[in-house]
Amino acid sequence: MSRTPRHDAGHVVSYPMRANSNARGYTAAWRRIRRLFLMVNPTCVQCGARATVVDHVRPHLGSKARFWDVGNWQPMCAKHHSRKTVLRDGGWGRARAT
């Protein structure tokens, strides 16, 4: 017998709503600064591949000061940023790493 849970055809998983990206601080100003940061820091800190994401080393949790703190930024490829988000930053409902 499979240990994978069975899903009914009508089963819907819902997650709490969160504010849109603009409301969370990812504005046109952020996109401009992000682009410049990635031009100066073009490689992922994990693997050296082309960086496509500016990661907040410590999650900003809505703090504008931490959000805009360049010392809290690091360039990452999408693969490693997604992995970090899930494992350390509480992604997919996981507990945040301390």
Side-chain angles (χ1 to χ4, degrees):
M1 181 170 198
S2 173
R3 296 184 58 95
T4 304
R6 299 182 72 101
H7 297 281
D8 295 330
H11 181 74
V12 176
V13 176
S14 63
Y15 297 96
M17 292 295 293
R18 70 178 188 171
N20 68 37
S21 60
N22 198 60
R24 293 190 327 263
Y26 298 97
T27 61
W30 166 257
R31 289 188 294 275
R32 282 191 298 274
I33 297 298
R34 173 196 169 279
R35 186 174 57 243
L36 291 172
F37 183 83
L38 291 174
M39 286 173 65
V40 174
N41 304 279
T43 58
C44 175
V45 295
Q46 294 290 315
C47 67
R50 181 173 160 260
T52 57
V53 179
V54 176
D55 174 61
H56 290 91
V57 178
R58 290 180 51 221
H60 59 84
L61 304 176
S63 164
K64 288 188 183 215
R66 194 180 296 172
F67 184 93
W68 289 104
D69 177 8
V70 178
N72 189 39
W73 298 352
Q74 65 183 353
M76 296 184 92
C77 66
K79 173 185 168 183
H80 285 109
H81 182 260
S82 293
R83 181 175 291 158
K84 176 188 177 269
T85 299
V86 169
L87 298 177
R88 296 192 53 216
D89 297 346
W92 292 98
R94 293 175 182 254
R96 287 186 188 279
T98 54

CSV table of all heavy atoms in Angstrom, one decimal, residues 47-72:
chain,number,residue,atom,x,y,z
A,47,CYS,N,26.9,28.7,-5.9
A,47,CYS,CA,27.5,27.8,-6.9
A,47,CYS,C,28.3,28.5,-8.0
A,47,CYS,O,28.9,27.8,-8.8
A,47,CYS,CB,26.3,27.0,-7.5
A,47,CYS,SG,25.2,28.0,-8.5
A,48,GLY,N,28.2,29.8,-8.0
A,48,GLY,CA,29.0,30.5,-9.1
A,48,GLY,C,28.2,30.7,-10.4
A,48,GLY,O,28.7,31.3,-11.3
A,49,ALA,N,27.0,30.1,-10.5
A,49,ALA,CA,26.2,30.3,-11.7
A,49,ALA,C,25.7,31.7,-11.8
A,49,ALA,O,25.8,32.5,-10.8
A,49,ALA,CB,25.0,29.3,-11.6
A,50,ARG,N,25.1,32.1,-12.9
A,50,ARG,CA,24.5,33.4,-13.0
A,50,ARG,C,23.5,33.7,-12.0
A,50,ARG,O,22.5,32.9,-11.8
A,50,ARG,CB,23.9,33.5,-14.4
A,50,ARG,CG,23.4,34.9,-14.7
A,50,ARG,CD,22.9,35.0,-16.2
A,50,ARG,NE,22.0,36.1,-16.3
A,50,ARG,CZ,20.7,36.0,-16.4
A,50,ARG,NH1,20.1,34.8,-16.3
A,50,ARG,NH2,19.9,37.1,-16.5
A,51,ALA,N,23.6,34.8,-11.2
A,51,ALA,CA,22.7,35.2,-10.2
A,51,ALA,C,21.5,35.9,-10.9
A,51,ALA,O,21.7,36.7,-11.7
A,51,ALA,CB,23.3,36.1,-9.2
A,52,THR,N,20.3,35.5,-10.4
A,52,THR,CA,19.1,36.1,-11.0
A,52,THR,C,18.2,36.7,-9.8
A,52,THR,O,17.2,37.3,-10.1
A,52,THR,CB,18.3,35.1,-11.8
A,52,THR,OG1,18.0,34.0,-10.9
A,52,THR,CG2,19.0,34.6,-13.0
A,53,VAL,N,18.6,36.5,-8.6
A,53,VAL,CA,17.8,36.9,-7.4
A,53,VAL,C,18.7,37.6,-6.4
A,53,VAL,O,19.9,37.2,-6.2
A,53,VAL,CB,17.2,35.6,-6.7
A,53,VAL,CG1,16.4,36.0,-5.5
A,53,VAL,CG2,16.4,34.8,-7.7
A,54,VAL,N,18.2,38.7,-5.9
A,54,VAL,CA,18.9,39.3,-4.7
A,54,VAL,C,18.2,38.8,-3.5
A,54,VAL,O,17.0,39.1,-3.2
A,54,VAL,CB,18.8,40.9,-4.8
A,54,VAL,CG1,19.4,41.5,-3.6
A,54,VAL,CG2,19.5,41.4,-6.1
A,55,ASP,N,18.9,38.0,-2.7
A,55,ASP,CA,18.4,37.4,-1.5
A,55,ASP,C,18.7,38.3,-0.3
A,55,ASP,O,19.7,38.9,-0.2
A,55,ASP,CB,19.1,36.1,-1.3
A,55,ASP,CG,18.7,35.4,0.0
A,55,ASP,OD1,17.5,35.1,0.2
A,55,ASP,OD2,19.6,35.2,0.8
A,56,HIS,N,17.7,38.4,0.6
A,56,HIS,CA,17.9,39.0,1.9
A,56,HIS,C,18.5,37.9,2.8
A,56,HIS,O,17.8,36.9,3.1
A,56,HIS,CB,16.6,39.6,2.4
A,56,HIS,CG,16.1,40.8,1.7
A,56,HIS,ND1,15.3,40.6,0.6
A,56,HIS,CD2,16.4,42.1,1.8
A,56,HIS,CE1,15.0,41.8,0.1
A,56,HIS,NE2,15.7,42.7,0.8
A,57,VAL,N,19.8,38.1,3.2
A,57,VAL,CA,20.4,37.0,4.0
A,57,VAL,C,19.6,36.7,5.2
A,57,VAL,O,19.3,35.6,5.5
A,57,VAL,CB,21.8,37.5,4.4
A,57,VAL,CG1,22.5,36.5,5.3
A,57,VAL,CG2,22.7,37.8,3.2
A,58,ARG,N,19.2,37.8,6.0
A,58,ARG,CA,18.3,37.6,7.1
A,58,ARG,C,16.9,38.1,6.6
A,58,ARG,O,16.9,39.3,6.1
A,58,ARG,CB,18.7,38.5,8.3
A,58,ARG,CG,19.9,37.9,9.0
A,58,ARG,CD,20.4,38.8,10.2
A,58,ARG,NE,19.3,39.0,11.1
A,58,ARG,CZ,19.1,40.2,11.7
A,58,ARG,NH1,19.9,41.2,11.5
A,58,ARG,NH2,18.1,40.4,12.5
A,59,PRO,N,15.9,37.4,6.6
A,59,PRO,CA,14.6,37.8,6.1
A,59,PRO,C,14.2,39.2,6.7
A,59,PRO,O,14.4,39.4,7.9
A,59,PRO,CB,13.6,36.7,6.6
A,59,PRO,CG,14.5,35.5,6.8
A,59,PRO,CD,15.8,36.0,7.3
A,60,HIS,N,13.7,40.0,5.8
A,60,HIS,CA,13.4,41.4,6.3
A,60,HIS,C,12.1,41.5,7.1
A,60,HIS,O,11.9,42.4,7.9
A,60,HIS,CB,13.3,42.4,5.1
A,60,HIS,CG,12.3,42.1,4.1
A,60,HIS,ND1,11.0,42.4,4.2
A,60,HIS,CD2,12.5,41.4,2.9
A,60,HIS,CE1,10.4,42.0,3.1
A,60,HIS,NE2,11.2,41.3,2.3
A,61,LEU,N,11.2,40.5,6.9
A,61,LEU,CA,10.0,40.4,7.7
A,61,LEU,C,9.2,41.7,7.8
A,61,LEU,O,8.6,42.1,8.8
A,61,LEU,CB,10.3,40.0,9.2
A,61,LEU,CG,11.0,38.6,9.3
A,61,LEU,CD1,11.4,38.3,10.7
A,61,LEU,CD2,10.3,37.5,8.6
A,62,GLY,N,9.3,42.5,6.7
A,62,GLY,CA,8.6,43.7,6.6
A,62,GLY,C,9.3,45.0,7.1
A,62,GLY,O,8.9,46.1,6.9
A,63,SER,N,10.5,44.8,7.6
A,63,SER,CA,11.3,45.9,8.1
A,63,SER,C,11.9,46.6,6.9
A,63,SER,O,12.8,46.0,6.2
A,63,SER,CB,12.4,45.4,9.0
A,63,SER,OG,13.4,46.4,9.2
A,64,LYS,N,11.6,47.9,6.7
A,64,LYS,CA,12.2,48.6,5.6
A,64,LYS,C,13.7,48.8,5.7
A,64,LYS,O,14.4,48.8,4.8
A,64,LYS,CB,11.5,50.0,5.5
A,64,LYS,CG,10.1,49.8,4.9
A,64,LYS,CD,9.4,51.2,4.6
A,64,LYS,CE,8.0,50.9,4.2
A,64,LYS,NZ,7.6,51.8,3.2
A,65,ALA,N,14.1,49.0,7.0
A,65,ALA,CA,15.5,49.2,7.2
A,65,ALA,C,16.3,47.9,6.8
A,65,ALA,O,17.3,48.0,6.1
A,65,ALA,CB,15.8,49.5,8.7
A,66,ARG,N,15.8,46.7,7.2
A,66,ARG,CA,16.5,45.5,6.8
A,66,ARG,C,16.3,45.2,5.3
A,66,ARG,O,17.2,44.7,4.6
A,66,ARG,CB,16.0,44.3,7.6
A,66,ARG,CG,16.9,43.1,7.5
A,66,ARG,CD,16.4,41.9,8.3
A,66,ARG,NE,16.4,42.2,9.7
A,66,ARG,CZ,15.9,41.4,10.6
A,66,ARG,NH1,15.4,40.2,10.3
A,66,ARG,NH2,16.0,41.7,11.9
A,67,PHE,N,15.1,45.6,4.8
A,67,PHE,CA,14.9,45.4,3.3
A,67,PHE,C,15.9,46.1,2.5
A,67,PHE,O,16.4,45.5,1.5
A,67,PHE,CB,13.5,45.9,3.0
A,67,PHE,CG,13.1,45.6,1.6
A,67,PHE,CD1,12.4,44.5,1.2
A,67,PHE,CD2,13.3,46.5,0.6
A,67,PHE,CE1,12.0,44.2,-0.1
A,67,PHE,CE2,13.0,46.3,-0.7
A,67,PHE,CZ,12.3,45.2,-1.1
A,68,TRP,N,16.2,47.4,2.8
A,68,TRP,CA,17.1,48.2,2.0
A,68,TRP,C,18.6,48.1,2.5
A,68,TRP,O,19.4,48.8,1.9
A,68,TRP,CB,16.6,49.6,2.0
A,68,TRP,CG,15.4,49.8,1.2
A,68,TRP,CD1,14.1,49.9,1.7
A,68,TRP,CD2,15.3,49.8,-0.2
A,68,TRP,NE1,13.2,50.0,0.6
A,68,TRP,CE2,13.9,49.9,-0.6
A,68,TRP,CE3,16.2,49.6,-1.2
A,68,TRP,CZ2,13.5,49.9,-1.9
A,68,TRP,CZ3,15.7,49.7,-2.6
A,68,TRP,CH2,14.4,49.8,-2.8
A,69,ASP,N,18.9,47.3,3.5
A,69,ASP,CA,20.3,47.2,3.9
A,69,ASP,C,21.1,46.4,3.0
A,69,ASP,O,21.0,45.1,2.9
A,69,ASP,CB,20.3,46.5,5.3
A,69,ASP,CG,21.7,46.3,5.9
A,69,ASP,OD1,22.7,46.8,5.3
A,69,ASP,OD2,21.8,45.6,6.9
A,70,VAL,N,21.9,47.0,2.2
A,70,VAL,CA,22.7,46.3,1.1
A,70,VAL,C,23.6,45.3,1.8
A,70,VAL,O,23.9,44.3,1.1
A,70,VAL,CB,23.5,47.4,0.3
A,70,VAL,CG1,24.4,46.7,-0.7
A,70,VAL,CG2,22.6,48.4,-0.3
A,71,GLY,N,24.0,45.5,3.0
A,71,GLY,CA,24.9,44.5,3.7
A,71,GLY,C,24.1,43.2,4.0
A,71,GLY,O,24.7,42.2,4.3
A,72,ASN,N,22.8,43.2,3.8
A,72,ASN,CA,21.9,42.1,4.1
A,72,ASN,C,21.6,41.4,2.7
A,72,ASN,O,20.7,40.5,2.7
A,72,ASN,CB,20.7,42.5,4.8
A,72,ASN,CG,19.8,41.3,5.3
A,72,ASN,OD1,20.4,40.3,5.7
A,72,ASN,ND2,18.5,41.5,5.2
